[in-house]
């Protein structure tokens, strides 16, 4: 066992409330190391499990099922002197203005005034890669809704998280070539913003599909149908062991 794991806080699409909003944490030694996204149901599941709010978040994009927890996270963070200004938000640079318009630009975030939304956080715009806790993670654009609005994440050697996307074979050829578990958006039926089972089987090799863990589906029935086709399907609350990262590490 490497001590690294992926914990699913929610696995559903925006309408699948019973499955929770798609959100996960990379764990190290059983503790959350880096959380991916901040949906409302996902944040509730995170806090119920760990007894606290996330300390570091990577944001894939700003559709509300992935950012709706930020208002609650602002309140709990801003009024905690130990956390205010210390919660790290790693946000792809093109997404920063979208995130501000979506969650940060409400006038007078506190009724009594005196606070800015971003006072609660340490906002870190990121490009192709960023450093977290001494380790280098990679970021890559995906195909979701509109160009340069959604991004995936790679912890080399351990995990690739596709985020919401259509098939991206050219990206995964580059960013999933070291045996990683590939958590991939997949519903039973695709649409212009999301991957369906037929897309998955058309665009990816069998070898890559065997490393995939499918999430962001519509229902328990869809999960059963995906599993019946031989795929690993993510379920809320599950933990999946990860290999030891081969990512570049900062000198000690």
């Amino acid at each position: 066992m490497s001590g690294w794991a992926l914990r699913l806080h929610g696995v559903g699409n925006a309408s699948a409330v019973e499955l929770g909003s798609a959100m996960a944490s990379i764990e190290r030694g059983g503790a959350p190391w880096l959380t991916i996204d901040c949906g409302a149901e996902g944040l509730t599941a995170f806090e119920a499990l760990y007894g606290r709010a996330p300390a570091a978040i990577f944001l894939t994009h700003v559709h509300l099922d992935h950012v709706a927890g930020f208002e609650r996270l602002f309140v709990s963070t801003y009024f905690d002197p130990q956390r205010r200004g210390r919660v790290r938000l790693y946000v792809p640079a093109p997404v920063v203005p979208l995130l501000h318009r979506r969650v940060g630009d409400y006038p007078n975030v506190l009724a009594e005034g005196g606070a800015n939304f971003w006072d609660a956080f340490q906002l870190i715009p990121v490009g192709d890669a960023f450093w977290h806790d001494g380790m280098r993670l990679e970021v890559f654009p995906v195909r979701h809704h509109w160009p340069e609005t959604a991004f995936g994440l790679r912890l080399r050697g351990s995990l690739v998280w596709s985020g919401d996307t259509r098939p991206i074979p050219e990206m995964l050829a580059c960013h999933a070539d070291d045996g990683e578990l590939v958590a991939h958006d997949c519903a039973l039926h695709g649409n212009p913003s999301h991957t369906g089972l037929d897309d998955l089987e058309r665009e990816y090799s069998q070898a890559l599909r065997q490393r995939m863990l499918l999430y962001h589906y519509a229902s328990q029935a869809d999960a059963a149908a995906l599993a019946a086709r031989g795929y690993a399907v993510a379920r809320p609350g599950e933990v999946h062991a990860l290999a030891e990262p081969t990512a570049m590490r900062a000198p000690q």
Side-chain angles (χ1 to χ4, degrees), residues 69-210:
F70 270 109
E71 184 172 13
R72 178 154 43 105
L73 186 61
F74 165 81
V75 172
S76 66
T77 301
Y78 184 81
F79 289 105
D80 183 344
Q82 301 303 312
R83 286 172 50 83
R84 185 192 296 182
R86 296 182 175 89
V87 174
R88 289 190 158 208
L89 300 183
Y90 299 103
V91 183
V95 175
V96 171
L98 305 176
L99 178 63
H100 181 62
R101 291 199 294 268
R102 198 74 146 172
V103 305
D105 200 24
Y106 192 85
N108 226 32
V109 62
L110 296 180
E112 61 270 31
N116 304 297
F117 184 85
W118 299 113
D119 291 340
F121 305 106
Q122 182 183 2
L123 177 62
I124 304 172
V126 302
D128 293 338
F130 65 95
W131 292 90
H132 172 64
D133 193 27
M135 200 164 293
R136 185 178 186 270
L137 293 98
E138 301 169 25
V139 177
F140 54 92
V142 299
R143 296 178 57 209
H144 181 57
H145 200 70
W146 201 252
E148 294 295 305
T149 64
F151 292 80
L153 178 71
R154 181 195 201 184
L155 177 60
R156 181 182 289 270
S158 285
L159 174 70
V160 174
W161 183 270
S162 77
D164 292 9
T165 189
R166 295 285 297 154
I168 45 171
E170 71 288 351
M171 287 297 171
L172 295 191
C174 178
H175 294 286
D177 61 351
D178 197 16
E180 296 90 351
L181 175 70
V182 179
H184 199 293
D185 173 355
C186 188
L188 198 57
H189 305 288
N191 61 43
S193 287
H194 295 279
T195 300
L197 183 56
D198 59 337
D199 301 312
L200 201 79
E201 296 181 339
R202 181 183 65 250
E203 299 286 349
Y204 296 121
S205 69
Q206 182 178 3
L208 182 56
R209 296 199 307 270
Q210 287 175 342

